[in-house]
Amino acid sequence: MFEFSCTVKAGQEPARKLRQQTAPVERAMLLLIALVFVLRVVPGSAQNLYQNSNVSQKQYDVIVAGGDPEGIAAAIAAARAGARTLLVDTRPALGGLMTRGWLNTIDMNLDSRRRPLNGGIFAEIYRELDDNSFDVKVVEMLFDRLVAREQNLDVIRGALTLLPVAGSQTLPLYRPGQTLCPDDREMSATLTAEIMPPRASEAMTVTLQGIEIVHDHGQITPVSGRFFIDATQDADLAVAAGAGWKNYGEDVWGNIRNMATTLVLRLGNISDAGWQKMCVALGGNSDPGGLLGGTRRSIWGFGDIIKRYSPSTQRVRVRGLNLGRQNDGSVLVNAVLVFGIDGLDRQSRREARQLAEAELPLLLAFLQKNIAGMSEAVLAGVAPELYVRTSRQIATQYTLTVDDVLENRDFVDRACFGSYPLDIQAQVHDHHGDVTGKPEQYAVPLRSLIPVGFSNLMVVGRSAGFDSLAQSSARTIPVGMAAGQAAGVAAVISMKRRLPIDRLASDSSAVDELHQQLTRQGVSIGPNLARPPAIVGHWAYPGLKFMRQRGQISGGYGNEYSLEQPISGKAFANRLVNLFPDLHEHDRRWLYDFCAGQDSLNLGMACKILACLESFAVGDAIASRKILELPPDEVFDGFRQRDLFVSPWPAAKSKWNIALSRGAAYMLLLRWSEQRAH
């Protein structure tokens, strides 16, 4: 045996001295302990109805669709609150992304004292783990043990799919994701629709009556319910019932911009000594921010080496390695990115798997040659499910925004808290991702879990009511499980009070009861003590928000927006092109050519550029040439007369020949865009 400790990743607990056991006798003892653990996990109270259409009853108070961690938390919370609850999933094992997608490292959401936020059911799982990275089989058993304890909870696993029933009509799925349309099984075309269902609205409220559980070979089990929680990854149940939604990215960038999809792979034949070599290599090159390093369970880094890898197609890229050591000695690798995948299209998802699997032999050869400790590694498998990060966002009573997150906002109807960075993963091959900013702590309102136009349906998980930037923080598993727990309790309160869920968030008494019950279930749900960051008081903050809401600027982990630094001509041109993608190609070329030689701009030259773009918009080439001949101070005076530099723009910064700072550029673009819109 040996001991080692390595650099600790930001957000992890201080590294403890951890023993890696290698002797055969000790391994046998571990297997015996694991066997005893499995025997203790066998369901006792909950009905384990795997591939069994004979549910214990035909009517439930709460029905939860989807066995991802969010759905498990929702079902347990509802059962603990006294509701007869049914959890239905299509997979053979609970855990979804954690156990089927092999996403075996938790993106922790911590408070200002570096303690996990929320508590509750997530904490019950987290306390059983020895690291932020975990063994997939152990987590699967932990989920089984949790649901087995609940007297009021039945579980069906291995269903083919399920369909919502509303108005006594069974509704087909519309563009379902992999939860209700598993990629490894075939479904009848009659279970899906080509036409988008009629959209629910506040004027036309939908009440669900039940679901139909479809099994292999076409057998159907109808089950009625009083309340429904959609915990599928893509809100498939809600969409089939008529919930409104947007494709990911449309609200921020004006078009679909899904993050890359990942297929996690498993490597075998990496010895304990090999694992230690990798830890030591990174320990000697660790950075203060914790972006690389290693522990007994996890390793993250080697980005400098991976940059030298050349994939076989531009549809695939490999990023820095996230490695997770499993109890059987194998290593899970989260690193392969596949671009251009539509998570709502089964053929596209299957294409992602094909592209990733075709790349793996080449990647393995590279790792064997270039990563110390991997020279003898072998490919030992791939995850049963893809890690699909984004697809669509549901229209809810309130959409959580990037400003809510980065201003650390609280809400009276808070359902849970988050604090993970706004981590935008790569979207195309030449995009390497952005960190828009890092909140201290923000609240997720209950309204962001309530689809518009429903009286008895909530949505939890990454497709809930978040804008596309806020989603990059709120989609993390700890936030999703806490939101699921809140949804489970809210469902019971809604039924007990006979108060439709679309009215619950505005009922202060019901919200108080929600918080009281969550507190009794071990959730920390008091007022958010985090304050807005100091930058909200900057005179150019409205301009910063304008650009940030459109995905045009990032503050990184330190929220450093450099508002007082000069902006280059190229950076100014980039902002304009991204804000106005409908610019003609020749106008875009002119803009870049004109700005290319400007290491820095003054305010007058920036106004001149905008005036030229105005003339381009109306097709007046003569006016454009005249503007170019005008002195910058004259063009600036014209913009001043249009009130573009009124308060809070400081008088000292509203001179034509002053260097254009980033903050001033953002404010100028905000006000100019507002005038153009009117």
Side-chain angles (χ1 to χ4, degrees), residues 504-640:
L504 191 147
S506 60
D507 187 311
S508 60
S509 174
V511 171
D512 287 344
E513 183 178 356
L514 170 67
H515 292 162
Q516 291 166 9
Q517 287 206 35
L518 286 174
T519 300
R520 286 196 291 270
Q521 289 196 9
V523 178
S524 299
I525 197 64
N528 184 11
L529 300 180
R531 302 275 70 87
I535 199 170
V536 301
H538 193 283
W539 72 271
Y541 185 67
L544 184 156
K545 288 205 302 182
F546 171 75
M547 300 299 292
R548 190 171 64 191
Q549 289 164 359
R550 287 154 180 79
Q552 299 305 314
I553 55 175
S554 299
Y557 293 104
N559 297 316
E560 297 171 354
Y561 296 98
S562 306
L563 294 181
E564 297 300 332
Q565 289 187 5
I567 190 169
S568 69
K570 181 179 179 181
F572 189 69
N574 283 335
R575 301 297 186 272
L576 279 169
V577 168
N578 289 325
L579 285 174
F580 306 104
D582 56 345
L583 276 176
H584 291 297
E585 180 61 29
H586 61 84
D587 296 336
R588 185 180 289 111
R589 284 199 303 270
W590 172 86
L591 178 61
Y592 277 121
D593 290 344
F594 185 81
C595 294
Q598 308 284 339
D599 291 334
S600 62
L601 291 174
N602 61 38
L603 192 51
M605 287 299 293
C607 292
K608 198 170 185 177
I609 292 168
L610 297 181
C612 285
L613 291 182
E614 289 176 344
S615 64
F616 292 160
V618 296
D620 193 340
I622 296 175
S624 300
R625 287 195 293 270
K626 289 182 178 179
I627 291 169
L628 289 173
E629 295 170 359
L630 292 174
D633 58 332
E634 187 173 331
V635 180
F636 170 79
D637 284 339
F639 273 61
R640 182 196 294 276

Side-chain angles (χ1 to χ4, degrees), residues 58 75 96 107 114 125 186 200 206 209 268 315 329-330 344 364 380 396 430 525 562 585 598 605 617 622 667:
K58 296 295 185 181
D107 293 325
R114 312 301 294 168
I125 290 287
E186 297 302 326
V206 173
Q209 279 89 42
R315 296 285 303 280
S330 65
L344 304 178
L364 176 61
T396 51
D430 57 355
I525 197 64
S562 306
E585 180 61 29
Q598 308 284 339
M605 287 299 293
I622 296 175
M667 283 294 286

Side-chain angles (χ1 to χ4, degrees), residues 9 126 213 241 343 443 465 508 571 588 611:
K9 185 177 181 181
Y126 184 67
I213 304 170
S508 60
R588 185 180 289 111

Side-chain angles (χ1 to χ4, degrees), residues 305-337:
I305 294 176
I306 295 299
K307 285 180 182 177
R308 304 202 302 265
Y309 178 73
S310 297
S312 61
T313 170
Q314 287 205 332
R315 296 285 303 280
V316 174
R317 196 175 77 226
V318 181
R319 66 175 191 183
L321 305 179
N322 283 350
L323 308 178
R325 186 77 155 168
Q326 301 297 285
N327 286 352
D328 63 3
S330 65
V331 174
L332 301 184
V333 183
N334 174 357
V336 178
L337 304 176

Side-chain angles (χ1 to χ4, degrees), residues 639-656:
F639 273 61
R640 182 196 294 276
Q641 292 172 17
R642 290 161 56 176
D643 292 333
L644 263 69
F645 307 113
V646 296
S647 179
W649 201 301
K653 295 181 181 292
S654 58
K655 299 176 181 178
W656 76 269

Side-chain angles (χ1 to χ4, degrees), residues 30-43 137-138 140-142 144-145 148:
L30 284 176
L31 288 173
L32 179 60
I33 292 170
L35 178 60
V36 173
F37 180 74
V38 170
L39 292 174
R40 293 183 61 188
V41 166
V42 172
K137 285 297 182 183
V138 167
E140 183 181 321
M141 290 188 290
L142 288 173
D144 282 343
R145 185 169 67 182

Side-chain angles (χ1 to χ4, degrees), residues 370-448:
N370 293 279
I371 303 293
M374 286 194 179
S375 60
E376 303 298 324
V378 296
L379 184 62
V382 293
E385 282 188 10
L386 293 169
Y387 175 17
V388 180
R389 295 175 172 86
T390 57
S391 60
R392 58 185 166 207
Q393 305 304 133
I394 295 297
T396 51
Q397 289 186 326
Y398 182 88
T399 299
L400 185 76
T401 69
V402 60
D403 297 328
D404 295 331
V405 171
L406 291 179
E407 292 178 8
N408 302 318
R409 287 183 185 162
D410 196 11
F411 297 93
V412 173
D413 64 327
R414 72 189 77 87
C416 61
F417 295 109
S419 66
Y420 195 73
L422 291 160
D423 185 11
I424 308 294
Q425 294 290 310
Q427 297 167 324
V428 292
H429 189 271
D430 57 355
H431 174 242
H432 290 267
D434 293 299
V435 176
T436 306
K438 169 69 172 73
E440 179 182 342
Q441 180 175 322
Y442 63 91
V444 177
L446 190 70
R447 288 164 291 158
S448 292

